């Protein structure tokens, strides 16, 4: 059952879901010819079997007044269906949903708009759907148009709008209805960067006024920065609910495990003898016979998080023995940029004699690489760097996700710390006096 009341009842959650499930029917058989239609019309063939697809199964949670709840999960996991149930677009098959207060939603492009009406006319249409009177809408009209930045296009039929213009108009109307609860789907990602920032600033103001936010986004940094709690939703059920950073980390670790398991076997256990021609060269007097990227527990993997420990293990063979070899690595970003290139010489590590098989390990206590795709090169040379024994050029790919870090620009984090000193006139004057003295 779905129940919504626009009048706020103090002490009640803004949203309450209890054992909510939703089922969609899937027809396995379709008529593909007039013969099929004739046979089915006269009952000469059994009716197609109807299977049930459940994007939600027994989902329960509350959203309290003033809270910001983020919802994350893979595409197709049922996040949008969940929002449509909360906003009343869909009815639950089982369970109860209660919404306490006025709700505004931005669910998908064009929702609540008529393509043949102008932007201005659609403001009246959409505003009336939110329960505003014509007078209320007229009072807010100029502010809505200004926020949307549509200008001369506001009196154009919106069927000629771009996806970004749809988002501008939809968000402008939604935020101006002064809702108690704002529900936003991934649709904001369609807008340009400047308008996204404008929307986020407005969402922050909405939260400061005590508004309740329900946000679905693949931008995990945004979820961590503006939400009080997060839900990882997948497979029709809540997998994890709690602090945004903990939920995001749980989700990303799960993604990493699935990515690792889905990689082709030859990629998972890529060995030097399987490298493509041109990726490996050298005299061969020392050979790197195995390369492993491992996590802090020594488990081999190809997906890491910023801040995770990493070990790069190089197994070598030298027959006959070689004196004083130097081992090194290089990491390239997928754009081609060289990120770093440490070696044992730079690290003041000496290997007096490589005789038979051995292993060299390069340990990174806290990975500073930001999210993206990278490739690893490995090499072993003589001390004067006049003979290349073995070189594997960008042969071992790996991925890095953001983890708990919110930095998004560049290739590495500096792991620095910000500090703000007292900038009041009195404090500045005192520091100047101390310098003069």
């Amino acid at each position: 059952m779905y129940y919504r009341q626009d009048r706020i009842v103090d002490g009640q959650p803004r949203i309450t879901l209890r054992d909510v499930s939703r089922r969609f029917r899937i027809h396995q058989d379709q008529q593909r010819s007039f013969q099929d239609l004739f046979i089915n019309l006269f009952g000469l063939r059994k009716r197609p079997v109807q299977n049930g697809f459940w994007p939600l199964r027994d989902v329960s949670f509350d959203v309290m007044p003033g809270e910001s709840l983020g919802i994350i999960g893979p595409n197709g996991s049922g996040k949008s269906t969940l929002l449509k149930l909360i906003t009343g677009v869909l009815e639950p098959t089982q369970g109860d949903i209660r919404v306490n207060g006025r709700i505004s939603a931005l669910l998908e492009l064009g929702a609540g708009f008529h393509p043949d009406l102008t932007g201005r006319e659609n403001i009246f249409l959409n505003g009336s759907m939110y329960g505003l009177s014509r007078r209320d809408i007229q009072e807010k009209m100029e502010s809505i148009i200004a926020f949307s930045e549509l200008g001369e296009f506001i009196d154009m039929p919106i069927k000629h709008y771009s996806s970004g213009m749809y988002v501008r108009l939809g968000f402008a109307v939604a935020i101006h209805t002064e809702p108690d609860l704002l529900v936003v789907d991934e649709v904001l990602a369609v807008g340009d960067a400047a308008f996204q920032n404008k929307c986020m600033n407005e969402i922050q103001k909405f939260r400061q006024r005590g508004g309740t936010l329900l946000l679905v986004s693949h931008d995990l940094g945004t979820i961590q920065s503006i939400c009080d709690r997060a839900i990882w939703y997948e497979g029709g059920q809540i997998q994890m609910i709690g602090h945004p950073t903990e939920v995001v980390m749980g989700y990303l670790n799960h993604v990493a495990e699935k990515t690792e398991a889905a990689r082709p076997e030859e990629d998972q256990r890529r060995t030097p003898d399987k490298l493509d021609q041109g990726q490996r060269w050298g005299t061969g007097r020392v050979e790197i016979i195995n390369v492993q990227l491992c996590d802090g527990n020594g488990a081999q993997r190809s997906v890491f998080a910023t801040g995770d420990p990493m070990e790069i293990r190089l197994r070598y063979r030298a027959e006959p023995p070689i004196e004083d070899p130097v081992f090194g690595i290089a990491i390239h970003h997928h754009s081609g940029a060289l990120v770093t290139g440490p070696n044992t010489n730079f690290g003041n590590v000496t290997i007096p004699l490589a005789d038979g098989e051995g292993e060299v390990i390069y340990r990174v206590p806290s990975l500073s690489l930001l999210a993206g795709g990278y490739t690893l090169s490995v090499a072993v040379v003589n001390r004067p760097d006049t003979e290349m024994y073995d070189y594997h050029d960008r042969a071992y790919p790996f991925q890095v996700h953001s983890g708990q870090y919110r930095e998004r620009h560049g290739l590495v984090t500096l792991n620095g710390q910000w500090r703000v000193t007292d900038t009041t006139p009195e404090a500045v004057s005192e520091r100047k006096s101390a310098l003069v003295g």
Side-chain angles (χ1 to χ4, degrees):
M1 180 185 73
Y2 180 82
Y3 177 74
R4 185 172 77 200
Q5 53 192 19
D6 288 340
R7 182 179 58 84
I8 295 177
V9 178
D10 293 335
Q12 288 188 0
R14 284 287 179 268
I15 304 172
T16 300
L17 276 76
R18 290 292 178 267
D19 302 320
V20 173
S21 300
R22 173 68 191 192
R23 177 178 184 265
F24 292 107
R25 293 180 177 178
I26 300 176
H27 292 267
Q28 287 187 326
D29 191 18
Q30 294 181 348
Q31 287 85 26
R32 288 171 291 183
S33 68
F34 283 112
Q35 182 180 3
D36 289 336
L37 183 61
F38 177 82
I39 291 173
N40 285 334
L41 182 64
F42 288 95
L44 300 177
R45 182 182 295 166
K46 292 183 179 179
R47 297 184 65 183
V49 177
Q50 295 179 348
N51 283 339
F53 167 61
W54 296 82
L56 280 87
R57 294 300 296 262
D58 302 322
V59 173
S60 299
F61 64 88
D62 293 329
V63 183
M64 303 307 294
E67 185 179 18
S68 293
L69 179 67
I71 302 177
I72 63 174
N75 288 329
S77 60
K79 302 186 300 297
S80 294
T81 301
L82 176 61
L83 294 192
K84 289 177 180 177
L85 288 167
I86 291 172
T87 55
V89 176
L90 296 175
E91 287 279 347
T93 305
Q94 299 171 0
D96 295 321
I97 301 176
R98 290 181 175 269
V99 177
N100 177 25
R102 174 180 288 181
I103 184 170
S104 286
L106 195 62
L107 299 182
E108 56 189 28
L109 291 178
F113 293 142
H114 193 291
D116 293 325
L117 299 180
T118 67
R120 189 184 303 273
E121 291 166 339
N122 270 290
I123 291 175
F124 281 104
L125 174 63
N126 208 234
S128 65
M129 294 174 63
Y130 287 130
L132 298 181
S133 67
R134 185 173 184 83
R135 182 177 179 179
D136 291 336
I137 300 171
Q138 286 175 331
E139 290 176 352
K140 300 174 184 292
M141 179 64 72
E142 294 308 315
S143 179
I144 292 172
I145 295 173
F147 187 92
S148 69
E149 301 175 4
L150 291 176
E152 60 184 313
F153 301 106
I154 197 64
D155 291 309
M156 174 189 293
I158 68 168
K159 62 184 177 183
H160 302 303
Y161 281 12
S162 67
S163 58
M165 294 167 76
Y166 269 111
V167 170
R168 288 173 181 271
L169 187 61
F171 187 84
V173 175
I175 202 67
H176 278 81
T177 60
E178 300 178 0
D180 304 303
L181 171 64
L182 180 63
V183 178
V184 182
D185 204 345
E186 188 64 30
V187 66
L188 278 184
V190 177
D192 58 66
F195 191 75
Q196 285 183 32
N197 290 335
K198 185 176 181 178
C199 291
M200 287 304 162
N201 289 336
E202 200 63 31
I203 286 175
Q204 292 287 23
K205 293 178 184 177
F206 167 76
R207 292 188 60 217
Q208 291 168 5
R209 294 193 299 266
T212 305
L213 175 67
L214 191 60
L215 174 66
V216 167
S217 180
H218 289 294
D219 187 341
L220 303 181
T222 297
I223 294 292
Q224 293 180 81
S225 63
I226 71 173
C227 292
D228 305 308
R229 283 193 305 156
I231 288 175
W232 162 21
Y233 188 79
E234 187 170 353
Q237 295 181 322
I238 294 174
Q239 304 297 322
M240 189 175 180
I241 184 168
H243 190 277
T245 298
E246 295 177 357
V247 174
V248 166
M249 288 301 297
Y251 172 61
L252 288 175
N253 288 334
H254 174 71
V255 170
E257 291 172 2
K258 288 204 304 184
T259 302
E260 189 70 30
R263 292 176 65 214
E265 184 65 26
E266 58 269 22
D267 268 3
Q268 293 184 41
R269 299 293 179 263
R270 197 170 194 192
T271 56
D273 59 299
K274 295 180 181 179
L275 297 183
D276 298 333
Q277 187 175 5
Q279 280 191 288
R280 184 181 188 184
W281 61 84
T283 63
R285 294 210 295 153
V286 181
E287 291 183 282
I288 298 175
I289 58 176
N290 189 260
V291 178
Q292 292 185 346
L293 287 86
C294 301
D295 61 19
N297 297 319
Q300 189 172 352
R301 62 189 304 174
S302 65
V303 183
F304 298 84
T306 304
D308 276 358
M310 171 194 262
E311 283 188 354
I312 299 173
R313 300 182 175 185
L314 311 182
R315 187 78 184 172
Y316 68 85
R317 179 170 56 228
E319 296 175 351
I322 294 293
E323 294 182 355
D324 204 16
V326 173
F327 289 83
I329 66 169
I331 293 177
H332 286 81
H333 186 254
H334 66 76
S335 64
L338 174 64
V339 180
T340 187
N343 62 39
T344 53
N345 183 30
F346 298 154
N348 296 319
V349 173
T350 300
I351 304 172
L353 185 69
D355 186 5
E357 291 192 9
E359 189 173 55
V360 176
I361 300 174
Y362 183 70
R363 178 171 174 78
V364 182
S366 178
L367 192 63
S368 60
L369 298 177
L370 295 179
Y374 298 86
T375 53
L376 172 71
S377 303
V378 299
V380 53
V381 301
N382 65 346
R383 175 71 61 173
D385 198 13
T386 57
E387 180 181 356
M388 177 64 68
Y389 297 133
D390 199 3
Y391 191 96
H392 305 179
D393 182 31
R394 285 170 275 200
Y396 306 98
F398 64 97
Q399 293 284 327
V400 177
H401 60 71
S402 58
Q404 62 183 344
Y405 282 78
R406 298 176 184 174
E407 294 181 53
R408 307 180 191 179
H409 306 292
L411 303 180
V412 299
T413 175
L414 299 180
N415 285 314
Q417 294 181 340
W418 292 98
R419 182 170 60 88
V420 179
T421 60
D422 191 350
T423 57
T424 61
E426 295 80 5
V428 172
S429 177
E430 184 177 334
R431 285 198 294 273
K432 286 182 178 179
S433 299
L435 289 173
V436 172

